[in-house]
């Protein structure tokens, strides 16, 4: 069975990204052809890029980087779930992407953003990054309007208004990978 990682792209305490990723996994795991796992960057805990060689060489000096490479190498596709920070994406997500190169190439990716305006500008900025990494942008990329002061219950209700889009994303992964 093919595997897709849902990467939680924020490490901020009390982040909403984990709630969004958990909701998305429930929606996507209805697939019988593709398996979906959540990876929390906060748990991976990568320091700011500290590898001496450029990532494209695949020469990783640090065990942490080799572990990250091995983990990412298991997956056939990715969903990046991240909030919009100051009209861009979180530094922790960019740092995690920058550690590797070949591991991302040619793999499909969907961007699921959220924020007061749905994370539109964060998606625009991240599209340049995933294109540069040689990833294949999926057709379905959710933009979810959530306010920082929304309660967990309200956020859950708002997330469920996107269930149909999540089903389309699941189908897109099944068609590409299944």
């Amino acid at each position: 069975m093919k595997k897709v990682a849902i990467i939680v792209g924020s490490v901020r305490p009390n982040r909403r990204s984990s709630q969004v990723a958990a909701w998305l996994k429930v929606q996507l795991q209805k697939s019988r052809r593709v398996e979906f796992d959540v990876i929390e960057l906060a748990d991976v805990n990568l320091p700011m890029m500290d590898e001496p060689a450029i990532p494209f060489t695949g020469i990783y000096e640090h065990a942490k980087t080799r572990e990250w490479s091995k983990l990412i190498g298991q997956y056939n596709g990715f969903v990046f779930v991240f909030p919009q920070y100051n009209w861009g994406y979180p530094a922790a997500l960019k740092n995690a992407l920058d550690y590797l190169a070949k591991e991302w190439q040619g793999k499909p990716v969907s961007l699921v953003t959220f924020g007061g305006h749905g994370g539109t500008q964060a998606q625009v900025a991240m599209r340049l990054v995933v294109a540069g990494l040689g990833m294949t942008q999926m057709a379905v990329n959710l933009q979810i309007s959530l306010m920082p002061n929304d309660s967990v219950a309200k956020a859950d209700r708002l997330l469920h208004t996107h269930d149909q889009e999540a089903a389309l994303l699941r189908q897109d992964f099944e068609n590409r990978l299944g």
Side-chain angles (χ1 to χ4, degrees):
M1 183 176 286
K2 301 291 184 173
K3 291 174 57 173
V4 171
I6 302 167
I7 297 180
V8 177
S10 172
V11 298
R12 178 181 281 175
N14 301 319
R15 62 194 169 277
R16 173 115 30 214
S17 303
S18 297
Q19 181 183 8
V20 176
W23 160 80
L24 187 60
K25 182 178 180 184
V26 168
Q27 301 306 310
L28 297 178
Q29 72 184 7
K30 295 175 183 175
S31 175
R32 294 186 182 152
R33 300 188 326 226
V34 180
E35 180 182 330
F36 295 89
D37 298 325
V38 173
I39 297 174
E40 291 268 359
L41 286 183
D43 295 338
V44 175
N45 196 25
L46 293 167
M48 286 305 284
M49 173 54 85
D50 63 352
E51 285 289 339
I54 62 171
F56 195 79
T57 65
I59 300 169
Y60 304 129
E61 180 177 306
H62 303 294
K64 194 90 159 156
T65 310
R66 290 190 298 274
E67 292 167 15
W68 179 233
S69 172
K70 184 178 178 182
L71 177 63
I72 293 305
Q74 306 176 46
Y75 291 97
N76 307 99
F78 302 95
V79 179
F80 299 149
V81 174
F82 57 99
Q84 181 166 293
Y85 286 174
N86 298 320
W87 300 98
Y89 45 77
L93 177 57
K94 181 67 165 77
N95 185 58
L97 292 170
D98 286 347
Y99 262 89
L100 309 175
K102 293 178 183 176
E103 295 85 347
W104 305 116
Q105 289 183 340
K107 295 183 180 175
V109 63
S110 176
L111 308 176
V112 175
T113 56
F114 61 93
H117 301 285
T120 305
Q121 296 304 315
Q123 274 199 22
V124 168
M126 185 54 75
R127 285 181 183 161
L128 293 172
V129 175
V130 298
L133 290 169
M135 300 180 86
T136 304
Q137 179 84 38
M138 304 281 287
V140 180
N141 298 279
L142 286 71
Q143 295 179 8
I144 303 167
S145 292
L146 295 174
M147 298 303 290
N149 59 349
D150 287 342
S151 69
V152 170
K154 181 176 181 181
D156 191 50
R157 284 192 306 276
L158 291 169
L159 288 169
H160 281 292
T161 66
H162 295 274
D163 288 354
Q164 290 272 357
E165 292 170 274
L168 291 174
L169 180 57
R170 183 182 68 246
Q171 290 171 354
D172 199 1
F173 272 116
E174 289 173 341
N175 292 339
R176 287 175 187 258
L177 300 176

